[in-house]
Amino acid sequence: MNAHIQAIAATQDRSAFAALFSHYAPRVKAYLIRLGCPDGQAEELAQETMLAVWRKADRFDPAKAAAGTWIFTIARNLRIDQVRRERRPELDPDDPALVPAPAPEADLVLQAKQHHVLVQNALQALPPDQARVIALSFFEDKPHGEIAGELGLPLGTVKSRIRLAFARLRAALEQTS
Amino acid sequence: MTAIVHHPSNSLLLDYAAGTLDEASSLLIATHLTLCPHCRAEVAAAEAIGGSLLDDLPAAPLRPGALDAVMARLAAPAEQPTLRKPQPSTWLPRPLTERLGGDDPSLWKWRWLGPGLADLPLVSDRNRPSARMVRLTPGTGLPPHDHGGRELTLVLRGAFGDRFGRFGRGDVEETYPDMHHEPVALEGEVCIGLVVTDARLRFDGFIARAMQTFTGV
């Protein structure tokens, strides 16, 4: 999938775009429906997301994120902008105030290709209660305070599950880096 | 610059990465991320989880002809986003420079709250968490208080201390109901921070409560 985005950036490759579209557009639509968008709006935003993929392809950096991760962030930001009508405060990588990572090992961002597989494996290896809280974080438009209420758990329990899940994930990623 | 000691919780970073965090708290997190490579890596990892979950979702088919409709729009020239870039600042992260219009605190429209204490509302909505800049001169403190909800404080300049430790540039203090504290600006520079609250603070004293009624803090 990374190669498709790079082909779009390099040669405006329409068949690469069609391949990306057939895989990701239905998943982006499913993601938006999970977050409560009505079908029509989810359809429209999924199309807009793919259009943004075409237009921003030259900004895709496979060393920083896998295709799915990059497309997820585009869909996420479009939803915040169009559904919540908020402008997402986002850091600017070119900000002169940005404090750079002191050493590469302090930075968890790995080669995205293996990263993607690692994340998937690490997610599948999580205990079910931790995996559930992580998935709900992405598929419910609610902060953890409300998710905790819904699960009938104290906020502290939800937060410690998240902390444990992150620690496991990081251990899994660091092992192979 | 001393290293950042106090980081926001994984829970907040995950909410930010998932896109479910409110605007005021997101402003604080984006500002902290500019100053903190450690948390940038955490957010990148959380976004990778989002990407992985997206890949695994069962497809929701698009309407017939959707691909053709989008293909037909590919040729259209991209509308250039006309984002007004503020003058970049070497000390104030861009998410805040954008909101404040510049990085010179002497030009901001501070609101006097008491001796040595001023604030400047940035995000205010009755039903959502609010964000404000707060300025404390050295030795000045907030009256003792606890919180009806969560309070996040990010230090941008100077430092303050309370019973949970010393908080300098880039540090985030995350406090919850019944975490009683009395932050005082430490000697040296004027302390400037970004404070996000999701409920009104509960001050202890009668005078402090009267002041709260007056200022709406």
Side-chain angles (χ1 to χ4, degrees):
Chain A
M1 289 296 165
N2 289 2
H4 287 319
I5 303 179
Q6 289 171 300
I8 294 171
T11 61
Q12 271 101 55
D13 186 333
R14 283 172 172 254
S15 61
F17 180 77
L20 266 183
F21 189 96
S22 70
H23 180 77
Y24 278 112
R27 285 172 175 80
V28 169
K29 185 176 174 184
Y31 162 69
L32 294 162
I33 290 172
R34 289 285 287 266
L35 280 167
C37 287
D39 189 88
Q41 189 180 35
E43 169 90 22
E44 189 194 326
L45 285 179
Q47 294 191 18
E48 289 298 324
T49 299
M50 296 315 294
L51 202 56
V53 166
W54 172 269
R55 287 175 179 164
K56 294 178 177 176
D58 60 334
R59 278 185 252 166
F60 171 67
D61 180 355
K64 284 200 173 139
T69 301
W70 186 63
I71 294 173
F72 161 73
T73 61
I74 292 176
R76 172 197 70 190
N77 293 358
L78 262 179
R79 192 187 73 87
I80 292 173
D81 184 62
Q82 311 259 321
V83 179
R84 289 221 316 245
R85 306 257 165 221
E86 286 176 7
R87 197 158 49 104
R88 177 179 169 86
E90 194 100 52
L91 84 113
D92 173 3
D94 300 323
D95 192 337
L98 188 100
V99 176
E105 67 266 18
D107 216 312
L108 281 180
V109 184
L110 303 176
Q111 293 293 331
K113 253 185 236 158
Q114 37 159 213
H115 195 200
H116 186 60
V117 178
L118 288 175
V119 168
Q120 237 158 357
N121 292 345
L123 267 180
Q124 276 157 11
L126 283 182
D129 56 353
Q130 290 174 21
R132 174 126 193 264
V133 169
I134 298 282
L136 283 179
S137 306
F138 284 93
F139 295 136
E140 302 250 331
D141 190 9
K142 289 172 185 157
H144 291 126
E146 285 173 49
I147 289 178
E150 247 174 56
L151 294 173
L153 293 171
L155 178 60
T157 307
V158 167
K159 291 184 69 166
S160 76
R161 283 182 190 176
I162 290 167
R163 203 172 48 243
L164 291 170
F166 262 79
R168 276 165 175 271
L169 194 71
R170 213 166 43 199
L173 295 181
E174 276 164 0
Q175 230 169 30
T176 27
S177 64
Chain B
M1 193 179 88
T2 46
I4 295 173
V5 186
H6 305 278
H7 300 276
S9 62
N10 286 140
S11 155
L12 274 174
L13 296 175
L14 180 58
D15 278 342
Y16 177 79
T20 55
L21 197 61
D22 63 275
E23 188 175 353
S25 308
S26 296
L27 178 62
L28 185 139
I29 296 297
T31 306
H32 173 75
L33 291 180
T34 307
L35 303 175
C36 185
H38 169 80
C39 289
R40 281 205 299 278
E42 298 274 291
V43 166
E47 286 175 342
I49 296 175
S52 174
L53 292 170
L54 180 71
D55 271 315
D56 289 343
L57 275 181
L62 272 77
R63 281 196 290 263
L67 175 58
D68 291 340
V70 175
M71 287 286 229
R73 294 170 66 195
L74 295 185
E79 62 261 42
Q80 288 302 317
T82 47
L83 262 183
R84 185 179 52 90
K85 282 215 176 190
Q87 203 64 5
S89 163
T90 51
W91 78 276
L92 192 72
R94 172 142 175 240
L96 280 180
T97 323
E98 267 179 7
R99 304 271 168 158
L100 289 158
D103 73 342
D104 181 354
S106 68
L107 298 177
W108 300 343
K109 295 198 171 77
W110 293 102
R111 202 167 62 153
W112 186 86
L113 291 182
L117 174 61
D119 83 343
L120 194 172
L122 288 181
V123 178
S124 26
D125 179 334
R126 210 167 267 275
N127 302 309
R128 310 261 297 153
S130 61
R132 67 184 65 223
M133 303 295 287
V134 172
R135 188 186 68 192
L136 286 170
T137 54
T140 311
L142 289 178
H145 63 277
D146 62 13
H147 317 94
R150 186 185 67 203
E151 180 185 64
L152 302 171
T153 305
L154 165 65
V155 178
L156 294 156
R157 192 179 258 195
F160 75 83
D162 63 15
R163 69 189 185 92
F164 299 111
R166 178 197 183 275
F167 295 81
R169 178 166 164 86
D171 281 325
V172 173
E173 183 174 51
E174 189 172 339
T175 50
Y176 286 87
D178 304 322
M179 289 170 71
H180 199 276
H181 69 153
E182 191 175 355
V184 176
L186 302 178
E187 284 312 310
E189 260 190 303
V190 168
C191 181
I192 295 178
L194 173 65
V195 179
V196 174
T197 42
D198 63 0
R200 287 161 61 114
L201 311 184
R202 296 191 296 234
F203 290 110
D204 292 348
F206 167 76
I207 305 224
R209 278 201 303 275
M211 190 181 97
Q212 175 172 36
T213 311
F214 174 65
T215 58
V217 172

